[in-house]
């Protein structure tokens, strides 16, 4: 029998880290519980997989803390203590607490201490100054060293960043995200045509950026590149999730100012990602800060579409540039436009690159490998 794991996440929304953990939680659904600090579509997706879910609201002060927060204030400390006290009785009915975010990790450390249960941290971020305030990094490293029994990271880049900040190298294990290929293979030609019609693309070349609308995700670079691609439409798939509405609004203004608004489609949050990826010609990854992994890149590979991605972080561990994708420097719209133009002008090479990407994704980033590696680590701790 598998260990009893209490999985914790602070959000109710669906992001890359949440999608990755669903498959692991499903493997433990007969013995475990998933606890969310906020309700939302994440709960619905978990319940559809037969996973037992509970929601304990985390408090407004805790939810207001951002990565860049320099000083959260005493109210946040109260929210953490209050939430941990409510979680502790549930934690006692499990063997481990498995935290899937920084906020969940902090709360899990307190609840684990009260319930006398070990804590596993699933770190899905790069602990670098470009992403987090110094206070957040210091607290995360301190808790990783003294509270976590193991830290699971989603790339070698994430591991190096944690260790460089003083994190415990002996506790760190790399588990790449695994993504199911079946939804991408199930997309039909009729669905692809319908998607292109929905966004008024028709037979014109189309490119797309997938991911939440956040400044560091670099959608603005894609808009600037579109100026050099006069016959191409751009699809921006995703929405603002964590207080980034001002940036999302600014993108619409930028599209007008750059003179490309008539060729930009703001799709918002979508559940039909495999179909939309199959419906475009080239998939862009435009982050201007290093990525901890790059789940969207692997999804684009599974869709058999050529991916143009910016270098940095875990992205460099996914793509062999020129073979199964293209890597370019971050924040350079001219180079981005040039890479897209080359692929659109050479459909044979684009098709070859898309097929090579699919082979890489199937070989390195499978759901089975992810679940087996994560489970092995959990059960090793149980037997220690």
């Amino acid at each position: 029998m598998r260990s009893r794991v209490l999985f914790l996440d602070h959000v109710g929304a669906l992001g890359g880290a949440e999608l990755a953990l669903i498959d692991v939680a499903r493997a433990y659904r007969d013995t475990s519980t998933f606890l969310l600090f906020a309700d939302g579509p994440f709960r619905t997706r978990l319940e559809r997989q037969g996973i037992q879910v509970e929601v304990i609201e985390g408090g407004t002060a805790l939810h207001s803390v951002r990565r860049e927060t320099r000083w959260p204030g005493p109210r946040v400390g109260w929210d953490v203590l209050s939430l941990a006290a409510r979680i502790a009785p549930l934690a006692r009915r499990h063997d481990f607490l498995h935290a899937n975010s920084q906020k969940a990790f902090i709360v899990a450390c307190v609840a684990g201490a009260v319930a006398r249960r070990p804590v596993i941290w699933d770190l899905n971020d790069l602990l670098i100054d470009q992403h987090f305030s110094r206070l957040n990094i210091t607290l995360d490293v301190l808790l990783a060293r003294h509270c976590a029994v193991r830290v699971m990271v989603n790339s070698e880049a994430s591991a190096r960043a944690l260790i460089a900040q003083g994190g415990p190298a002996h506790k760190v294990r790399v588990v790449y995200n695994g993504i199911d290929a079946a939804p991408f293979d199930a997309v039909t030609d009729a669905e692809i045509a319908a998607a292109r019609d929905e966004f008024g693309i028709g037979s014109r070349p189309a490119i797309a950026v997938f991911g939440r609308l956040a400044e560091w995700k670099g959608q603005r670079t894609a808009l600037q590149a579109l100026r050099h691609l006069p016959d191409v439409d751009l699809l921006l798939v995703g929405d603002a999730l964590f207080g980034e509405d001002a940036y999302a609004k600014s993108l619409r203004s930028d599209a007008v100012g750059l003179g490309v608004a008539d060729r930009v489609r703001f799709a918002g949050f979508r559940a039909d990602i495999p179909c939309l990826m199959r419906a475009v010609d080239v998939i862009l990854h435009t982050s201007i800060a290093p990525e901890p992994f790059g789940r969207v890149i692997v999804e684009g590979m599974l869709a058999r579409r050529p991916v143009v991605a910016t270098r940095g972080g875990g992205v460099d561990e996914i793509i062999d540039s020129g073979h199964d994708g293209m890597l370019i420097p971050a924040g350079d719209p001219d180079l981005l436009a040039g890479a897209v133009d080359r692929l659109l002008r050479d459909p044979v090479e684009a098709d070859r690159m898309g097929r090579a990407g699919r082979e890489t994704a199937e070989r390195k980033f499978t759901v089975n490998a992810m679940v087996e590696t994560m489970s092995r680590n959990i059960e090793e701790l149980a037997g220690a």
Side-chain angles (χ1 to χ4, degrees):
M1 175 182 279
R2 293 186 184 272
S3 297
R4 299 168 299 171
V5 181
L6 179 61
F7 296 97
L8 301 96
D9 202 310
H10 77 281
V11 299
L14 279 166
E18 288 69 41
L19 290 169
L21 194 58
I22 287 175
D23 292 302
V24 177
R26 184 172 58 222
Y28 279 83
R29 61 187 171 191
D30 292 336
T31 60
S32 302
T33 308
F34 213 117
L35 177 63
L36 302 177
F37 300 171
D39 206 350
F42 189 19
R43 175 185 60 79
T44 303
R45 183 73 69 90
L46 288 165
E47 289 177 340
R48 286 175 181 169
Q49 299 294 326
I51 299 165
Q52 181 180 341
V53 184
E54 294 197 23
V55 178
I56 299 180
E57 289 293 336
T60 55
L62 180 62
H63 283 305
S64 70
V65 176
R66 297 288 177 259
R67 296 177 172 207
E68 65 276 9
T69 299
R70 295 178 181 272
W71 178 248
R75 182 68 187 179
V76 174
W78 173 255
D79 278 0
V80 169
L81 292 174
S82 175
L83 185 57
R86 286 179 286 161
I87 291 172
L90 181 60
R92 293 189 184 99
R93 303 201 295 270
H94 294 79
D95 302 309
F96 294 97
L97 286 78
H98 184 121
N100 196 44
S101 65
Q102 273 84 353
K103 290 180 185 179
F105 177 49
I106 293 169
V107 174
C109 287
V110 179
V114 174
R116 299 182 180 275
R117 292 294 184 271
V119 177
I120 299 169
W121 184 20
D122 204 343
L123 172 59
N124 297 283
D125 289 296
L126 289 173
L127 287 186
I128 58 177
D129 293 332
Q130 289 167 282
H131 288 304
F132 293 94
S133 70
R134 178 47 45 185
L135 176 64
N136 276 325
I137 292 174
T138 300
L139 181 59
D140 285 339
V141 170
L142 182 68
L143 293 176
R145 293 177 64 180
H146 297 288
C147 296
V149 294
R150 186 150 295 176
V151 182
M152 316 300 293
V153 296
N154 59 357
S155 68
E156 295 287 350
S158 294
R160 288 192 298 270
L162 172 63
I163 294 167
Q165 297 287 357
H170 66 286
K171 296 181 181 181
V172 176
R173 303 292 187 275
V174 176
V175 183
Y176 286 125
N177 281 190
I179 302 170
D180 186 9
F184 297 88
D185 294 339
V187 176
T188 66
D189 290 342
E191 289 171 331
I192 292 173
R196 293 180 71 91
D197 287 343
E198 176 186 352
F199 292 102
I201 296 170
S203 60
R204 293 191 303 279
I207 59 179
V209 180
F210 293 82
R212 84 174 201 259
L213 300 183
E215 188 161 5
W216 75 274
K217 290 292 187 179
Q219 288 92 353
R220 183 170 285 117
T221 304
L223 292 177
Q224 294 167 340
L226 201 61
R227 292 178 302 172
H228 308 297
L229 300 165
D231 300 319
V232 178
D233 286 0
L234 171 65
L235 194 63
L236 296 181
V237 183
D239 211 341
L241 293 181
F242 307 119
E244 292 147 333
D245 301 274
Y247 173 73
K249 184 177 180 180
S250 75
L251 289 176
R252 296 179 182 273
S253 299
D254 289 344
V256 174
L258 291 166
V260 298
D262 60 324
R263 294 185 288 119
V264 179
R265 312 289 187 268
F266 288 88
F269 175 82
R270 300 282 296 214
D272 55 345
I273 298 301
C275 178
L276 296 183
M277 285 190 165
R278 292 282 304 277
V280 299
D281 300 286
V282 181
I283 292 171
L284 310 181
H285 166 275
T286 54
S287 293
I288 58 176
E291 283 272 7
F293 179 63
R295 182 182 177 91
V296 164
I297 295 171
V298 178
E299 291 176 331
M301 290 173 156
L302 289 172
R304 292 188 175 89
R305 293 296 181 262
V307 180
V308 180
T310 54
R311 296 183 182 275
V315 172
D316 299 350
E317 300 168 41
I318 300 173
I319 289 180
D320 178 7
S321 191
H323 170 58
D324 49 19
M326 296 180 67
L327 293 176
I328 62 173
D332 192 323
D334 294 337
L335 286 179
L336 179 59
V340 171
D341 187 60
R342 287 195 297 275
L343 289 168
L344 293 177
R345 290 179 182 274
D346 190 349
V348 174
E349 172 62 9
D351 181 68
R352 184 208 62 77
M353 189 174 288
R355 292 179 183 276
R358 172 60 182 246
E359 191 278 331
T360 295
E362 288 183 325
R363 176 169 45 85
K364 293 180 62 176
F365 306 109
T366 68
V367 171
N368 285 343
M370 177 186 66
V371 173
E372 288 175 6
T373 305
M374 190 74 78
S375 299
R376 183 171 65 251
N377 275 274
I378 293 172
E379 301 311 325
E380 282 177 0
L381 291 168

